[in-house]
Structures are given as structure tokens and as C-alpha cells.
């Protein structure tokens, strides 16, 4: 059976702009469609490339890099015989295998955080609850510099540069939606001193005016809440094949949760926090009030 040609224009410049992780997801989705059109099981595809069904699953979810030999073999198995279409597909594979912008900082990054940067860059929406510090995507250079100084004696400026490079995500074309709920305690913790904190809060006010950014303050008056003691981030992707991911960062590692029951729990918690927190406009006024008190 010859598989019908699959259009590759879905992995277009907009997807490429979201980085190699997004492109891997798009290419993996095309591989899955080709396999299904050919009526071939994951087990059979895995055997054909001297692998397993689990390897095929990882390839189709975009969770691993591609070997050109494997892709050539799979395209042949799926009946993609047209030289032009094969080369077009392989060119996407080569682009998907290119390192992300964060590769230049790889000497500073643990592998588990490199994974997060790729997913963050590929996400179409990011929701986060933070109970301790301003989220990295919203930090000013001075605030970030103060945070970095707490745990690192060297390469401080490169770490701040990395954070600033991450933040370009929120203002690029096709930027993801970003929704942050901040515990009020975050706004009173004088990281870097009152002047740095005031500048940071003023920056939050400015960022909250972007059309894709929502910031809510969870006030002390809200009392207890379901996320007490646990900051977390939820990532959602444009590709239906990739499930949401909950990211939990620890001191020396991170957890990536994608089980349905975990996702549903964190969605419920995030929705509850959003209801308990002040609405965005009132939160902006609260931010201005706290900043003014730091004068």
C-alpha cells in the first residue's frame, strides 16, 4: 500500500520559529500519520528500524532526535517513494535536529532544564503559580542578578543573559499566552533590596499590559489554597499529539508530569487559584500600591 503524500507545510515557518522542539513534534506527527495511512503498527515500524514500538512512540511524539537512516527506512516502509517528497521531509528532519538557541549556554544548564527550555519555547500557552520568587520569564536583569548571586559564584552575567534571552519568547511573533498567579509573599520578599524589588514590580505592571500576558496576585486574605508550598508550571502545545505537561522544579532535578490524572488535578488547582486571586485589573492596582510603598 502506497501512503498518500502528507503535506509538510504544517511544519512551516511559524512552527520553526517556536524552535527545534516544536519542529520535532510537527515532524513526529507527520511520521505518525504516514504510518497510520500505511496500516503499519508501531511494533512493525520499530522492528524495521531495529528498534522497538517505544522508540517509534518517542519519535512520533517528538521527544527524541531523529537519525536520518531511521527516517529514510521509515519513509521507504510507509511507501513514500517520490525523491522530492523524501528530500523535503529529510530537510525538516535536519532542521529539527539543530540545537536550540540555549545550546550556547549548555555548560550552565543541567540536562533536565535544557529539556524544559525546549518545551517552553515550543508551548502555545504557559500557566504558572509561583509562591516564592518572580517567574524567570518576568524577572528584570537586576532581580535576576540578585537571584543568580544566591547560588552561583561564577558566570553570573551569562546566567542573566540566558534569562533575558528566554524572555524574548513573550514578545516574538506568535508568542504564547502567559498566565501567572503570584502569591502576595513574592511581592514582599526584598530580593536585591527595596530598590530592585520596586523596579521588578513596576516591570510586572508593564508586562501585564501585553495582550498575551495575564498576571494575578493571590492575596494573603485568600487564606489557605490548594497549591500551598508547591510552585508549578503547566505547558500546553498546539499539536494535539503532545499532552499538556506539568513542570515541577526542585533544587537538583525536575519532574515532568503528563499522566491524565496528574494533569487534571493541576488544572483544577490552577483554575481554583485563578478564582481566588485578584482579577487582572485589580492585581495591577495592587502591584502599583506595593511598589509605591517601597519608595
Amino acid at each position: 500500500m502506497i501512503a498518500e503524500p502528507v503535506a509538510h507545510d504544517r511544519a512551516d515557518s511559524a512552527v520553526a520559529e517556536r524552535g527545534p522542539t516544536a519542529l520535532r513534534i510537527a515532524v513526529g506527527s507527520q511520521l505518525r500519520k504516514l504510518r497510520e495511512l500505511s496500516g503499519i503498527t508501531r511494533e512493525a515500524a520499530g522492528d524495521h528500524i531495529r528498534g522497538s514500538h517505544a522508540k517509534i512512540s518517542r519519535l512520533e511524539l517528538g521527544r527524541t532526535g531523529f537519525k536520518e537512516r531511521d527516517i529514510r527506512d521509515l519513509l521507504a516502509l510507509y511507501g513514500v517513494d517520490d525523491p522530492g517528497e523524501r528530500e523535503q521531509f529529510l530537510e525538516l528532519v535536519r532542521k529539527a535536529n539543530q540545537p536550540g538557541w540555549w545550546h550556547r549556554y549548555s555548560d550552565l544548564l543541567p540536562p533536565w532544564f535544557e529539556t524544559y527550555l525546549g518545551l517552553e519555547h515550543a508551548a502555545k500557552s504557559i500557566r504558572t503559580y509561583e509562591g516564592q520568587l518572580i517567574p524567570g520569564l518576568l524577572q528584570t536583569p537586576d532581580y535576576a542578578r540578585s537571584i543568580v548571586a544566591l547560588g552561583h559564584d561564577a558566570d553570573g552575567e551569562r546566567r542573566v543573559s540566558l534569562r533575558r534571552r528566554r524572555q524574548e519568547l513573550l514578545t516574538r511573533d506568535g508568542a504564547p499566552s502567559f498566565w501567572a498567579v503570584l502569591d502576595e509573599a513574592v511581592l514582599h520578599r526584598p530580593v536585591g533590596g527595596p530598590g530592585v524589588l520596586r523596579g521588578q514590580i513596576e516591570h510586572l505592571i508593564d508586562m501585564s499590559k501585553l495582550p498575551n500576558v495575564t498576571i494575578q496576585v493571590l492575596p494573603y486574605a485568600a487564606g489557605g489554597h490548594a497549591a500551598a508550598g508547591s510552585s508549578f508550571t503547566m505547558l500546553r502545545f498546539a499539536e494535539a499529539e503532545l499532552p499538556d505537561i506539568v513542570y515541577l522544579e526542585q533544587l537538583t532535578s525536575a519532574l515532568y508530569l503528563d499522566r491524565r490524572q496528574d494533569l487534571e488535578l493541576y488544572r483544577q488547582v490552577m483554575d481554583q487559584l485563578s478564582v481566588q486571586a485578584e482579577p487582572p485589573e485589580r492585581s495591577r492596582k495592587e502591584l502599583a500600591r506595593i511598589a509605591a510603598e517601597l519608595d
Side-chain angles (χ1 to χ4, degrees):
M1 175 180 178
I2 303 299
E4 297 176 14
V6 176
H8 303 308
D9 54 5
R10 294 182 184 178
D12 56 13
S13 58
V15 176
E17 176 67 18
R18 287 161 50 214
T21 301
L23 201 51
R24 281 203 307 271
I25 294 168
V27 170
S29 175
Q30 296 297 332
L31 283 173
R32 180 185 60 78
K33 291 174 183 176
L34 285 168
R35 178 181 58 76
E36 291 177 347
L37 284 169
S38 302
I40 295 171
T41 65
R42 286 194 180 94
E43 288 76 10
D47 289 343
H48 191 72
I49 61 170
R50 303 153 297 279
S52 65
H53 73 280
K55 179 176 180 179
I56 296 298
S57 180
R58 289 194 299 272
L59 289 172
E60 292 179 354
L61 289 172
R63 291 184 176 176
T64 186
F66 304 109
K67 293 182 179 178
E68 276 200 43
R69 184 183 72 169
D70 289 343
I71 302 305
R72 289 181 186 277
D73 289 348
L74 288 173
L75 292 178
L77 177 66
Y78 300 157
V80 182
D81 299 320
D82 180 82
E85 186 170 356
R86 288 170 62 88
E87 184 54 36
Q88 186 181 15
F89 200 102
L90 289 168
E91 180 59 28
L92 286 177
V93 166
R94 295 179 193 116
K95 290 180 179 179
N97 280 337
Q98 292 176 359
W101 61 262
W102 51 89
H103 182 71
R104 74 190 69 171
Y105 299 98
S106 60
D107 58 312
L108 303 179
L109 299 171
W112 50 267
F113 193 64
E114 283 196 69
T115 299
Y116 176 76
L117 289 179
L119 293 170
E120 179 183 76
H121 204 67
K124 77 168 185 178
S125 73
I126 304 169
R127 298 179 74 185
T128 188
Y129 166 71
E130 180 56 67
Q132 299 295 329
L133 300 168
I134 302 295
L137 288 176
L138 297 176
Q139 292 178 6
T140 64
D142 285 341
Y143 187 95
R145 199 169 285 115
S146 299
I147 294 295
V148 168
L150 296 175
H152 303 281
D153 297 326
D155 296 310
E157 285 307 309
R158 285 187 66 215
R159 293 180 187 276
V160 173
S161 175
L162 165 63
R163 205 153 299 187
R164 295 181 70 177
R165 180 65 180 82
R166 278 178 66 196
Q167 294 169 355
E168 294 176 12
L169 172 73
L170 296 180
T171 54
R172 75 181 186 202
D173 290 340
S177 63
F178 181 74
W179 187 346
V181 176
L182 308 181
D183 192 285
E184 185 178 349
V186 173
L187 306 174
H188 294 286
R189 182 166 288 108
V191 173
V196 169
L197 182 58
R198 182 174 63 250
Q200 173 63 74
I201 295 175
E202 291 170 348
H203 179 66
L204 291 178
I205 295 171
D206 291 339
M207 292 298 293
S208 73
K209 297 174 183 177
L210 292 177
N212 60 312
V213 175
T214 300
I215 299 175
Q216 291 183 266
V217 175
L218 182 66
Y220 291 139
H225 56 83
S230 177
S231 301
F232 64 93
T233 298
M234 295 189 69
L235 304 175
R236 175 163 289 182
F237 306 89
E239 293 74 18
E241 292 79 9
L242 193 67
D244 294 358
I245 291 176
V246 172
Y247 173 74
L248 301 169
E249 187 170 322
Q250 301 169 338
L251 286 177
T252 58
S253 63
L255 294 177
Y256 294 85
L257 308 179
D258 61 5
R259 294 191 310 169
R260 183 172 301 175
Q261 56 267 42
D262 292 332
L263 294 175
E264 183 57 32
L265 172 62
Y266 277 91
R267 285 193 198 102
Q268 291 175 4
V269 170
M270 194 72 213
D271 289 345
Q272 181 180 342
L273 291 171
S274 300
V275 171
Q276 288 182 275
E278 299 285 9
E281 188 57 41
R282 196 175 302 167
S283 292
R284 193 177 294 124
K285 293 178 180 178
E286 182 66 8
L287 290 169
R289 181 190 67 78
I290 294 173
E293 291 178 352
L294 291 167
D295 287 337

